[in-house]
Every structure is written in structure tokens, then in C-alpha cells.
Amino acid sequence: MNNNPSGPIGIYDSGIGGLTVAHAITNLLPNENIIYFGDTAHLPYGDKSEAAIQAYSVKIADVLLKKGCKVIVIACNSASSAAYELLKEYVRKDAHIINVIDPMVDHVVNHYPSQTIGLIGTKRTVTSGIYATRIAQAEKGITLNSLATPLLAPMIEEGFFNNQISHEIIAQYLSDEQLGSIASMILACTHYPLIKKEINNYYNGKVTILDSSEIVAEALRIYLSENNLLNIESKPNKHFFVSDFTPSFEASTRLFFGEIVHLEQHRLWN
Ligand code: DGL
């Protein structure tokens, strides 16, 4: 196990959506070195098979381990549902792995017992049934109503949010009867924090919208602190890699990360 506190935190997603999680991590843990990997060559993961996402995840883990990461955060629900168990085994001796699903499940079962909760996410995440299984295992009387919303991640990647088109697509999905009579809603895709306000407006603030970025950053902080792995050096480095560089990805990173970042290309297969 890498027990070097100055080792970077590796964070990956299918693309740039996971930068919402990276941003929450850098806000909460400003001293940590960050290596972000966006697998833009294989985006979107939400439509891919479990086997394909596992293969991409192993390749990305190899890259992050080579760069000395002490922890790997799977900043993608689709990859967390498809590849977490495999990756945990794969990197067992080298680094700790955090996914975006378990911290949210813990939060929900502790704070929202006996509620009817909605969930929106990619096809991969929703068909995996992983949230439903984990929440049912906790036996807190929670009813989970999930809906796959595959148009939302590409819509957001293209910069379509807070406009007429996004309002209509969001309203169309949220009016699905599967999401009737919910008291809270899990955003089970790391792209969706960018449309949190629109979802909140749709429900006139009457449904609590649960976004995992800060919850995951806090789970990471607790792990680092309990294992004496918090980095105490200041002036941390941040590196952002993508498997296929395009200028439009670089332009969009600001939307997700809140500041301009320079993307470097790192191919997974040559
Ligand atoms: N950000 C990914 C997630 O949390 C979804 C985007 C994709 O389909 O690649 O599931």
C-alpha cells in the first residue's frame, strides 16, 4: 500500500464530468496533489458494457499507480457500478479506492430513512441496480425509484444547461411517473451537479437534491485523516490528463472545475 502522504489523489471519470468531484476535493483538501484522468476517448461510459468499462478502468488505474497515487477516486457512477469491485482487487496492495456510490448510500440511509427517494443516472448505473441493492440491504424502509436519463450527460458536455433546451429535456424526464411523489432525489451521475439548480427549480425547492461531490470529498478526507495520509506540504500540483484531447474539452473544463485547466493527452492504447 502506498503510504506516502505527499502521493497524489488519482481521480478518474469517462470525461470531464468527474471534475465536479475533483473540484469539491480541491476545495475541501487544498493541500492535496491531484491527478485527474478523463477517458474522453471512450466517453460516454453510460452506454458501454460492464466488461468494456472494467477494461478502461484497469488501464487508467495502471496510469494512476505509475504516477504514485495513494488513493484512487472513481469519480463516475457508471464506472463505480461496473468496475469498483474488480479495481479494488486489482490495486489491493498499492492504493485505496473510493467510489462515488457508497458514500452517497451511507448518507441516504443515515439521513433519509422511510422516504421515497428518486434517482437519475446513466443506463449503466440504473440497470446495475447497485443503489437499490445497497439501500435495501440497510433495511431503513427507503423506497428507491430510479430512472435512466441518458440524454443528460451528453447535453451537459455540450454546454446545454440553464437554457430552453435543457429545461425541456429535464422537465420531460422528471415528469416521468417513476419519479412521482418523491421527497428527495439522488443525482447518480457526476455531470448532474451542473443542472442541480434547474432540477431544484422544476420541483420549486420541494424535493431535496442530493449531489455526491461534497459527500465523496468528505469520505476521502475521513479516510486520509484516519490513515495519517493527509498531505501537509503546501503548493500542491494538479495535473489533468485526457485519453483523447480536443480543444472543446479544454474549453468545457471551466464549467466543471470552475477554473481553466490545461489538459494533457495520455493515450490508454497506442
Ligand atoms: N459521469 C458519468 C457518471 O457519473 C456519466 C457520463 C458517461 O456516461 O460517461 O456516470
Side-chain angles (χ1 to χ4, degrees), residues 110-171:
N110 287 328
H111 294 91
Y112 302 93
S114 312
Q115 266 200 11
T116 298
I117 300 179
L119 177 147
I120 53 174
T122 66
K123 287 190 226 165
R124 168 64 29 222
T125 301
V126 171
T127 56
S128 76
I130 191 161
Y131 278 93
T133 306
R134 299 266 163 89
I135 288 173
Q137 277 164 354
E139 298 184 3
K140 289 291 180 83
I142 293 171
T143 304
L144 186 73
N145 295 336
S146 306
L147 181 73
T149 49
L151 283 181
L152 296 184
M155 175 189 89
I156 296 165
E157 289 262 342
E158 286 300 323
F160 283 90
F161 50 93
N162 292 326
N163 65 22
Q164 191 62 28
I165 291 173
S166 62
H167 288 347
E168 283 176 20
I169 294 176
I170 290 167

Side-chain angles (χ1 to χ4, degrees), residues 67-236:
K67 293 183 184 299
C69 290
K70 59 185 174 186
V71 177
I72 294 177
V73 178
I74 310 178
C76 172
N77 285 263
S78 310
S80 294
S81 66
Y84 171 62
E85 295 299 335
L86 176 95
L87 222 50
K88 208 168 57 168
E89 248 336 274
Y90 184 68
V91 307
R92 193 157 44 112
K93 288 192 270 353
D94 303 312
H96 181 69
I97 304 256
I98 289 182
N99 66 65
V100 283
I101 295 174
D102 291 335
M104 176 59 89
V105 168
D106 290 345
H107 181 78
V108 163
V109 301
N110 287 328
H111 294 91
Y112 302 93
S114 312
Q115 266 200 11
T116 298
I117 300 179
L119 177 147
I120 53 174
T122 66
K123 287 190 226 165
R124 168 64 29 222
T125 301
V126 171
T127 56
S128 76
I130 191 161
Y131 278 93
T133 306
R134 299 266 163 89
I135 288 173
Q137 277 164 354
E139 298 184 3
K140 289 291 180 83
I142 293 171
T143 304
L144 186 73
N145 295 336
S146 306
L147 181 73
T149 49
L151 283 181
L152 296 184
M155 175 189 89
I156 296 165
E157 289 262 342
E158 286 300 323
F160 283 90
F161 50 93
N162 292 326
N163 65 22
Q164 191 62 28
I165 291 173
S166 62
H167 288 347
E168 283 176 20
I169 294 176
I170 290 167
Q172 182 76 33
Y173 277 134
L174 299 187
S175 62
D176 192 294
E177 62 181 24
Q178 178 71 359
L179 299 176
S181 65
I182 57 171
S184 323
M185 147 94 65
I186 298 174
L187 303 185
C189 173
T190 54
H191 283 68
Y192 299 174
L194 275 83
I195 53 167
K196 189 173 176 178
K197 210 168 80 197
E198 283 177 87
I199 295 174
N200 205 27
N201 288 345
Y202 175 86
Y203 289 117
N204 289 320
K206 293 195 178 97
V207 167
T208 308
I209 312 301
L210 305 169
D211 144 14
S212 63
S213 40
E214 280 161 22
I215 294 169
V216 171
E218 177 59 12
L220 172 64
R221 189 195 63 74
I222 291 169
Y223 173 78
L224 294 177
S225 159
E226 286 178 349
N227 290 279
N228 295 321
L229 281 172
L230 283 166
N231 191 21
I232 45 165
E233 288 168 18
S234 51
K235 295 237 182 246

Side-chain angles (χ1 to χ4, degrees), residues 240-262:
F240 299 85
F241 296 95
V242 286
S243 49
D244 188 30
F245 177 85
T246 69
S248 83
F249 281 127
E250 191 159 66
S252 303
T253 54
R254 187 181 196 141
L255 304 172
F256 290 83
F257 196 67
E259 60 187 82
I260 294 173
V261 298
H262 169 59

